[in-house]
């Protein structure tokens, strides 16, 4: 089966009068006005959506930060723009990022769920959903409103995740979706240190024992496919933001296409470079899922 993994789209809209907004949102709005979110080129969103639509993946996973200030306007913009690739809730999963819970009111009013709740199992996190033959996705949500970009994975969520996997029995291909990375390539350690997941150690320790899994994340606006030394059975995948401007051509915006064929995992990155799309072979593991030996291709 083929997946598309998008993250950190960061639709943004400058509030008409940000100085009427209080607290956290004022901090965010000021950052916006200073140009942070202007680096996210919204005019290219339609191109990204069209590229994903043309790939016709079996399943689309979006790992959070669809918005910037989590205003109703941003959620409406994100939902409308993504409509062509969100036609079938059975073939798309969308989980929140910290920016989608930016303020207490956005979290209290469940703005994320109002726009994207159809693309995840109903009820609370974590959940486990089957997305293809022998393939299941575990969804985690450590996001919370607050003055920092830290996430917190409550102990109860980890305990329920453990119970879900125990009840499910063997899963030939397990994928975990969580906005926050647990481990990052050394070059990005400082970026994560500014906005870590509190409780990542306990989650890593548990995942070390669940066997081979893909860990689909975002949050750090970089791109990687790597096997953390602390969890050798994990392949951590961060597709990077699809809309971030790239003035020096060093960090092209894009997303991942992930092909699962039997035991094999192939990751292709679709990148926007020099005004056009290209598809770059990014990572391959020929025998990653040992319990999934049948080649479906
Ligand atoms: Fe982000
Ligand atoms: Fe984030």
């Amino acid at each position: 089966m083929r997946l598309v993994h998008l993250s950190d789209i960061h639709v943004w809209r400058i509030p008409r009068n940000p100085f009427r907004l209080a607290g956290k949102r004022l901090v965010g709005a000021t950052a916006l006005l200073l140009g942070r979110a202007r680096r996210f080129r919204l005019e290219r969103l339609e191109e990204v959506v069209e590229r994903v639509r043309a790939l016709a993946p079996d399943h689309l996973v979006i790992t959070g930060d669809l918005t910037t200030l989590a205003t109703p306007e941003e959620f409406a913009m994100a939902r409308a723009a993504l409509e062509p690739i969100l036609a079938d809730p059975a073939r798309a999963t969308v989980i929140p990022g910290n920016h989608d819970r930016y303020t207490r009111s956005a979290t209290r009013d469940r703005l994320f769920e109002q726009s994207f709740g159809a693309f995840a199992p109903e009820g609370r996190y974590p959940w486990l959903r089957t997305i293809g033959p022998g393939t299941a996705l575990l969804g985690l949500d450590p996001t919370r409103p607050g003055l920092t970009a830290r996430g917190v994975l409550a102990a109860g969520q980890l305990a329920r995740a453990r119970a879900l996997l125990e009840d499910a029995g063997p899963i030939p291909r397990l994928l975990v979706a969580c906005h926050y990375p647990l481990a990052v390539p050394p070059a990005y350690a400082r970026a994560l240190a500014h906005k870590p997941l509190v409780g990542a150690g306990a989650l890593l320790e548990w995942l070390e024992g669940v066997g081979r899994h893909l860990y689909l994340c975002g949050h750090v606006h970089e791109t990687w496919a790597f096997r953390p030394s602390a969890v050798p059975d994990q392949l951590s995948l961060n597709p990077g933001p699809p809309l971030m401007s790239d003035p020096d051509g060093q960090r092209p915006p894009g997303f991942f296409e992930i092909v699962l064929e039997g035991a094999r995992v192939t990751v292709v990155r679709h990148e926007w470079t020099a005004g056009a799309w290209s598809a770059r072979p990014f990572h391959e593991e020929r025998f990653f899922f040992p319990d999934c030996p049948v080649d479906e291709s």
Side-chain angles (χ1 to χ4, degrees), residues 8 10 36 40 64-65 98-99 179 195 219-221:
D8 297 83
H10 281 296
R36 178 193 172 279
F40 289 83
D65 278 2
N98 54 307
H99 278 267
H179 180 65
K195 46 184 187 179
H219 190 51
V220 171
H221 296 163

Side-chain angles (χ1 to χ4, degrees), residues 171-183:
I171 297 169
R173 278 194 295 233
L174 174 65
L175 285 64
V176 179
C178 178
H179 180 65
Y180 285 79
L182 300 178

